[in-house]
Amino acid sequence: MRKIILFVLFISFSAYSQTNQFNGTWSNENCKSCSKEYILSLNIAQSNNKIYGTAEVTSKDEKLNSGIMEITGYVYVLGEKAQITLKARDGASATAVLFVNDGVIQLSKRGGFDLIPKEAILTKLSE
């Protein structure tokens, strides 16, 4: 009986650790309470504790357009927080932290060039 309980407990921890909460296309274009000066789109693929993908900031103002940026990063142990680095084609880079909560991602910029907004709330567009 003890072995069965330990086995079920191990499977539940393994299943929880394998959830890739950051997968998909995320954007702030559906945000009703946000200013619409820019649209930030993240297309992220998560594999265990690594994150890869692309990001783009589009706006009516040409100065705010970023072009396509490369995303690399890692997910913290519990899977609800991730540290990412965004690199533009011209070599500029910025770092940010992503928090997952109730189906939305909160992006918080930590440093680097002004490639992305300082804070944004992103909703999932597609899986």
Side-chain angles (χ1 to χ4, degrees), residues 40-101:
L40 173 64
S41 298
L42 302 177
N43 191 3
I44 301 173
Q46 178 185 349
S47 175
N48 292 333
N49 65 344
K50 298 286 183 181
I51 289 181
Y52 301 99
T54 59
E56 185 176 15
V57 176
T58 55
S59 175
K60 293 178 184 175
D61 185 6
E62 292 295 322
K63 291 184 254 179
L64 295 177
N65 290 339
S66 68
I68 296 178
M69 299 175 283
E70 177 185 344
I71 297 175
T72 57
Y74 61 93
V75 179
Y76 286 90
V77 175
L78 294 177
E80 296 175 350
K81 182 178 175 183
Q83 176 80 34
I84 62 170
T85 302
L86 296 104
K87 293 181 185 172
R89 294 184 192 263
D90 63 357
S93 67
T95 58
V97 176
L98 304 175
F99 299 97
V100 173
N101 191 8

Side-chain angles (χ1 to χ4, degrees), residues 20-40:
N20 297 334
Q21 298 184 42
F22 294 98
N23 277 348
T25 302
W26 300 83
S27 179
N28 67 338
E29 66 183 313
N30 293 336
C31 182
K32 292 180 173 76
S33 63
C34 303
S35 69
K36 297 295 182 177
E37 294 177 27
Y38 58 86
I39 295 176
L40 173 64

